[in-house]
Amino acid sequence: MDSSNLMDKITALCKRRGIIFPGSELYGGLNGTWDLGPIGTLIANNIKNEWLGNMLSRGNIVPLDSSILHAARVWEASGHVTSFTDPLVECKICHERFRADHEGQIKEHEKTHDKHSWTEVKSFNLMFKTFVGPIDDEKNKTYLRPETAQGIFINFKNVIDSTRINIPFGIAQIGKGFRNEITTGNFLFRVREFELMELEFFVKPTESARWYEYWKKERLNWYLSLGIRKENVKLADLPKKDIAHYSKGTSEIWYKWPFMGFGELEGIANRGDYDLSQHSKYSGKDLSYFDEKTKEKYLPYVIEPSVGIGRAMLAFLLDAFHEEKKRIVLKLHPKLAPYKVAVFPLLANKPELVKKAEGICKGLMKSFVTVYDGRGNIGKRYFAQDEIGTPFCITVDFETLENDTVTIRIRDTMKQERVRVPDLVSLISRKII
Ligand code: GAP
């Protein structure tokens, strides 16, 4: 399948099944925004839960949920006001704007537009500006956060003072970020509003190289453990010229995107003591850490794995997408599947089957996110559940009424087994883990 075809198919599937809708579609759309539908919300929540669960289960990582708006000084201190920019060029004829480093798009424009003439390259700041309070003036100007990380750095001391946590430790945050990207595209890959999962892991400076290597491996393994195929994902160290203003070294986890080949899925940066040192300087407050055991005082270094949930979700969807002879199936890892189980009555016009199926569904809902489906025929129901990646479908038939057994159909193999209703919870639990 060619790549644009695959992206079109995924986008169409997402719309058809309530996974992702274009943002502001009713009013013609708003570029660079997408809305999660009911199924997409469940998938995104599963991704977030898996990420946060993985972080918190380590015992030395705590969560945080800072505000989206920070004082403008935060962004001056962090360097985003001066350095969070992309190089921009504008076509003087049609005034379309492009990222100067996206050569493919520029060449495409030159090919498709007879007349073109480019402006000089200039720096374009990606932060969305806004005003706090009713007066729109420079004094009240601030920005929608382009990363959640700064909310962590400005709370570093609050967390240290209010918890019993000691270095090495991490603060994990999930939340919205906003970037006024010059160009957007490739569905969820590059958008203007997106949710981030970011960990700032604080370490002794002399141990930062070891922790940097540690987090690169941990994060790669997280994707593999959730079903991303080994051949589609790899680590890449970035050359110095390509790394952000705050970074001492950055690696990326690359996914094999259909539209560009291997490219960034997640970034893992060694931010050194850049942020804590800047905030110490700008706020006038000492943010250094005192190690009670060794009696040393120092500014910790920070290792930061950071990924957009939309970008991760796109990778999981692409990896899971299979077009077979008679069906499209999302072979999502069961932990990421929006519904773990679907329950059907064999015939929706037989009240005794409907009643029994509803009862079984209600029972399973206590253990798993479960959905009931009594529409159309069994074939259509399987088709619909395969398209959203439901790993198990249970059918209640006349035999169920006699001996309390049902058929359970496995999404990936389409094999069916007859099992006892009281065994369902333990059987499904074992298969999900
Ligand atoms: N705090 C570090 C940071 O913000 P980044 O590499 O600029 O680093 C982190 O962004 C991650 O956010 C990327 O690896 C990618 O997954 C996601 N991301 C960045 N810009 C994005 C965009 N415009 N649309 C969707 N996801 C984006």
Side-chain angles (χ1 to χ4, degrees), residues 147 179 181 189 191 196 198 246 264-265 267 304 306 308:
E147 61 169 9
R179 298 184 189 182
E181 298 282 356
F189 183 82
V191 293
L196 283 153
E198 302 202 289
Y246 48 71
E264 181 180 6
L265 163 59
E304 178 200 62
S306 164

Side-chain angles (χ1 to χ4, degrees), residues 131-144:
F131 299 94
V132 177
I135 303 169
D136 294 7
D137 66 5
E138 201 51 30
K139 211 168 72 233
N140 294 314
K141 188 172 91 178
T142 191
Y143 308 90
L144 301 187

Side-chain angles (χ1 to χ4, degrees), residues 32 80 84 126 146-150 153 178-181 183-185 187-198 200 223 244 246 250 252-253 257 264-269 271 304-312:
H80 283 79
F84 196 62
L126 301 185
E147 61 169 9
T148 73
Q150 296 307 321
F153 298 128
F178 304 83
R179 298 184 189 182
N180 198 7
E181 298 282 356
T183 50
T184 61
F187 196 22
L188 302 180
F189 183 82
R190 193 172 303 285
V191 293
R192 295 198 167 106
E193 173 181 338
F194 54 101
E195 216 170 0
L196 283 153
M197 305 189 286
E198 302 202 289
E200 307 304 321
Y223 290 102
Y246 48 71
T250 299
E252 287 176 352
I253 294 175
W257 305 105
E264 181 180 6
L265 163 59
E266 164 162 348
I268 298 132
R271 291 180 82 127
E304 178 200 62
S306 164
V307 60
I309 290 151
R311 209 177 275 194

